[in-house]
């Protein structure tokens, strides 16, 4: 967890029409993220946490504030457009093509429903190979051996490489989605409720895997979850959201063990511990 | 020798918002200073705030007022104002903590749990595991348990895993929350020896020791947390 700032968010907000009134789905969110740092965004459904994730990943446009990222490559070398003093680039200044390149190479996005993050009509191996091809890899043998090695890393049986993801179990699909995202060695991964909807034993296995990979690869991650145990296990820091606003943020164990805000106290005290 | 840990006018209060903002004062005005090789025992009745103080020193609880400062990489770091990643860095290199209860990670073996603090310092997996094995052997944890996750272990077994995990990295400042509470006499003796060895190696120790014999054996001085009780 060293190095220079990777992501800097200032006053980020998004408005939606609800009925015929504008409402802030998320508002005035600010934080910095460093390489290797894992941030959990927690809150109940409707708190704006998934909207925030989509804003950060530039899948939604900001209505307020800014998101800056340490874009590596040519945009940075010559101090390109929108580059701040800290060397970060304002994502709003990047072209569509450049953003697409960023999200296919240096970022990962793990969807809650693996089906939304996978291509269901091509094989498991092709799902992993796709992002490598976006980086210019064309050699079939190399693509296949890289796909096999990633299947092993995420504990998928390699003889399933030619099967369609639809034939995989939910937990396997989620692991495939993770392999598909990590194959290009991104520095930042966004995860939207990665374990929700999986059986408990499958969840434990996936969490353990994510924890290992994040450590090994020194990934920075923003993980949206409503599950405080997931935040405790994976995140260095957390951010608690309610009604679109951040009510508390800080070191994960401090927020969970000594919550200050009334809403965080309610959230922490509402969890059943077996 | 200069201090490695200091608190100035430290106080802790809990505000329970679900109970109409009920304020629970714990302690106030604690100023202490700890040097390498010292062992300070916290005393006081159950509920007097010993564990809360230890958690403040670890940065797990926030200080309500006052400050905790720790000597880290030749600089003073204030745990109240440090960014989360700085607190984690202090814990990785400088500040060790043996809690009363082991937080179990699903599927991770005892050996890997104990090896983890070394792995985080960059020690290779094999070397970290082999050192972890030595610690577990020293604490008389049966070898057949090493490859199991400690979720189903007895209280005493989990506590020994916790102690090995807390001491293995050789941190210069150690916080020990009742490290011998569920141990038998033989293992208590081992822990006392380990604390002596840590102090001899220059570690500064703050601990809660319910067992009078253990406390007398390891502590160089005591601080009664009751003396700092906040009145309502």
């Amino acid at each position: 967890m060293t190095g220079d700032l990777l992501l800097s968010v200032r006053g980020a907000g998004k408005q939606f029409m609800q009925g015929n009134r504008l409402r802030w789905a998320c508002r005035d969110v600010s934080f910095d993220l460093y390489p290797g740092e894992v941030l959990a965004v927690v809150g109940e459904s409707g708190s704006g946490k998934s909207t925030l994730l989509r804003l950060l990943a530039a899948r939604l446009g900001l209505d307020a504030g800014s998101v800056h990222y340490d874009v590596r490559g040519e945009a940075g070398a010559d101090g390109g457009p929108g580059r701040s003093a800290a060397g970060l680039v304002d994502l709003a200044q990047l072209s569509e093509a450049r953003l697409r390149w960023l999200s296919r190479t240096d970022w990962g996005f793990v969807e809650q429903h693996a089906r939304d993050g996978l291509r269901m009509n091509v094989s498991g191996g092709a799902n992993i190979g796709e992002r490598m091809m976006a980086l210019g890899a064309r050699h079939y043998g190399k693509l296949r051996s890289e796909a096999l090695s990633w299947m092993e890393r995420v504990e998928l049986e390699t003889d399933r490489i030619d099967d369609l993801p639809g034939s995989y179990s939910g937990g396997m699909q989620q692991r495939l989605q993770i392999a598909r995202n990590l194959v290009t060695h991104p520095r930042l991964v966004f995860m939207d409720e990665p374990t929700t909807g999986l059986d408990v034993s499958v969840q434990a296995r996936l969490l353990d895997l994510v924890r290992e990979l994040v450590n090994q690869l020194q990934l920075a991650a923003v993980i949206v979850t409503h599950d405080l145990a997931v935040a405790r296990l994976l995140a260095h820091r957390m951010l608690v959201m309610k009604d679109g606003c951040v009510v508390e943020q800080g070191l994960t164990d401090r927020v969970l063990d000594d919550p200050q805000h009334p809403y965080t106290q309610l959230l922490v005290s509402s969890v059943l511990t077996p | 020798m200069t201090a490695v840990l200091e608190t100035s006018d430290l106080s802790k209060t809990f505000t329970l918002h679900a109970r109409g903002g009920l304020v629970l004062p714990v302690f106030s005005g604690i100023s202490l200073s700890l040097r390498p090789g010292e062992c300070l025992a916290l005393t006081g009745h159950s509920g007097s705030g010993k564990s809360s103080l230890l958690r403040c020193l670890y940065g797990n609880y926030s200080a309500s007022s006052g400050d905790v400062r720790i000597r880290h990489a030749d600089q003073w770091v204030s745990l109240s104002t440090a960014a989360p990643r700085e607190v984690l860095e202090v814990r990785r290199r400088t500040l060790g903590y043996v809690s009363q209860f082991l937080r179990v990670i699903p599927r991770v073996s005892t050996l890997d749990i104990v090896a983890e603090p070394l792995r985080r310092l960059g020690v290779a997996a094999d070397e970290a595991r082999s050192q972890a094995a030595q610690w577990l052997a020293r604490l008389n944890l049966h070898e057949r348990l090493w490859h199991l996750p400690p979720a189903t272990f007895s209280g005493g077994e989990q506590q020994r895993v916790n102690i090995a995990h807390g001491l293995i990295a050789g941190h210069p400042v150690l916080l020990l929350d009742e490290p011998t509470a569920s141990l038998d006499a033989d293992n208590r003796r081992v822990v006392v020896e380990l604390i002596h060895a840590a102090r001899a190696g220059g570690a500064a120790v703050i601990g809660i020791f319910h067992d009078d014999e253990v406390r007398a054996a390891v502590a160089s001085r005591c601080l009664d947390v009751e003396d700092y009780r906040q009145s309502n």
Side-chain angles (χ1 to χ4, degrees):
Chain A
M1 263 198 304
T2 51
D4 296 327
L5 195 52
L6 190 64
L7 179 78
S8 179
V9 184
R10 287 294 174 272
K14 180 72 187 171
Q15 284 182 313
F16 280 116
M17 263 320 223
Q18 193 177 52
N20 48 9
R21 278 190 316 151
L22 273 174
R23 195 179 67 87
W24 288 96
C26 101
R27 185 173 202 179
D28 204 21
V29 178
S30 300
F31 66 89
D32 290 332
L33 197 72
Y34 286 81
E37 211 173 11
V38 180
L39 172 75
V41 181
V42 307
E44 292 171 317
S45 44
S47 61
K49 55 191 194 305
S50 290
T51 302
L52 174 63
L53 197 70
R54 287 181 150 64
L55 285 179
L56 301 177
R59 291 183 167 204
L60 284 175
L62 292 160
D63 289 329
S66 65
V67 178
H68 285 75
Y69 182 72
D70 173 29
V71 182
R72 54 184 170 187
E74 67 266 37
D78 58 358
R83 186 159 274 257
S84 73
L88 303 184
V89 175
D90 185 350
L91 293 183
Q93 305 283 327
L94 286 185
S95 66
E96 279 288 318
R98 192 78 189 144
L99 271 177
R100 205 159 42 237
W101 172 84
L102 196 60
S103 64
R104 279 183 188 168
T105 57
D106 206 22
W107 289 353
F109 198 108
V110 176
E111 303 270 4
Q112 175 179 351
H113 303 291
R115 292 176 161 272
D116 298 335
L118 292 173
R119 295 220 294 140
M120 301 305 285
N121 55 352
V122 300
S123 70
N127 263 283
I128 300 175
E130 191 179 0
R131 278 170 60 115
M132 285 190 283
M133 291 175 70
L135 280 178
R138 288 292 178 272
H139 188 278
Y140 177 79
K142 273 185 195 146
L143 286 169
R144 191 170 174 88
S145 71
E146 189 70 9
L148 282 169
S149 123
W150 269 97
M151 288 186 77
E152 275 173 22
R153 281 188 89 160
V154 300
E155 304 174 19
L156 287 170
E157 286 162 34
T158 48
D159 60 5
R160 302 293 302 269
I161 186 168
D162 295 317
D163 297 348
L164 293 176
S167 69
Y168 289 15
S169 71
M172 289 167 64
Q173 286 181 6
Q174 204 56 299
R175 296 202 295 280
L176 179 64
Q177 197 193 176
I178 287 168
R180 171 184 164 87
N181 274 281
L182 297 187
V183 67
T184 55
H185 298 281
R187 288 182 299 162
L188 174 60
V189 178
F190 302 100
M191 298 192 191
D192 192 1
E193 303 273 11
T195 58
T196 306
L198 299 176
D199 289 338
V200 178
S201 60
V202 178
Q203 263 186 32
R205 182 174 182 185
L206 189 73
L207 284 172
D208 186 31
L209 181 76
V210 171
R211 202 179 64 95
E212 276 286 319
L213 290 170
V214 162
N215 275 337
Q216 281 171 13
L217 305 171
Q218 279 297 292
L219 286 175
V222 181
I223 302 176
V224 161
T225 180
H226 68 278
D227 188 337
L228 298 180
V230 169
R232 165 114 47 196
L233 190 66
L234 296 180
H236 302 116
R237 287 160 57 196
M238 58 190 276
L239 200 142
V240 183
M241 291 192 74
K242 181 180 192 298
D243 300 334
C245 295
V246 175
V247 296
E248 185 164 354
Q249 60 172 312
L251 190 65
T252 298
D253 62 273
R254 196 182 297 177
V255 172
L256 291 176
D257 294 338
D258 189 16
Q260 304 294 314
H261 190 274
Y263 179 69
T264 317
Q265 290 190 356
L266 178 70
L267 213 57
V268 169
S269 65
S270 306
V271 180
L272 297 173
T273 33
Chain B
M1 285 252 244
T2 53
V4 289
L5 177 86
E6 287 180 354
T7 71
S8 49
D9 214 13
L10 183 66
S11 59
K12 182 63 192 166
T13 303
F14 291 105
T15 306
L16 306 184
H17 292 287
R19 308 272 304 274
L22 178 70
V23 173
L24 288 179
V26 187
F27 54 76
S28 68
I30 296 186
S31 298
L32 61 83
S33 169
L34 202 72
R35 293 157 193 267
E38 279 193 293
C39 176
L40 174 68
L42 304 179
T43 60
H45 294 122
S46 150
S48 60
K50 303 184 293 293
S51 286
S52 293
L53 174 55
L54 222 47
R55 283 167 177 259
C56 284
L57 299 179
Y58 192 57
N60 175 229
Y61 284 0
S62 60
S64 303
S65 67
D67 196 10
V68 175
R69 303 192 315 138
I70 182 156
R71 197 75 192 159
H72 169 75
D74 289 328
Q75 289 190 324
W76 285 104
V77 176
S78 156
L79 291 186
S80 310
T81 55
R85 62 196 194 97
E86 294 170 315
V87 176
L88 292 174
E89 187 57 22
V90 167
R91 290 179 182 177
R92 192 165 74 91
R93 296 202 170 273
T94 304
L95 187 59
Y97 177 54
V98 175
S99 65
Q100 282 186 63
F101 304 102
L102 182 67
R103 198 171 284 283
V104 180
I105 303 167
R107 298 211 318 159
V108 180
S109 76
T110 296
L111 207 54
D112 284 337
I113 287 177
V114 174
E116 199 186 359
L118 288 179
R119 297 295 317 278
R120 273 193 252 130
L121 289 170
V123 177
D126 288 351
E127 171 61 20
R129 281 209 190 97
S130 113
Q131 287 193 39
Q134 289 170 31
W135 278 86
L136 291 171
R138 180 88 167 87
L139 284 153
N140 302 313
L141 194 81
H142 203 288
E143 200 172 336
R144 65 165 186 265
L145 300 176
W146 293 1
H147 296 282
L148 302 175
T152 55
F153 291 6
S154 74
E157 287 162 350
Q158 290 196 359
Q159 187 156 38
R160 281 176 280 156
V161 175
N162 235 354
I163 291 166
H165 174 265
L167 299 185
I168 191 168
H171 289 127
V173 183
L174 293 171
L175 309 172
L176 312 177
D177 194 348
E178 298 191 37
T180 58
S182 9
L183 300 185
D184 60 28
D186 284 345
N187 285 313
R188 271 205 301 276
R189 221 166 8 248
V190 173
V191 173
V192 167
E193 285 166 17
L194 291 172
I195 295 172
H196 278 305
R199 285 182 59 191
V205 181
I206 299 191
I208 301 167
F209 310 98
H210 269 190
D211 187 304
D212 292 338
E213 219 174 287
V214 170
R215 188 186 323 113
V218 299
S220 51
R221 60 194 168 105
C222 295
L223 181 137
D224 191 344
V225 182
E226 310 252 352
D227 294 344
Y228 301 88
R229 172 168 290 181
Q230 277 190 52
S231 47
N232 271 302

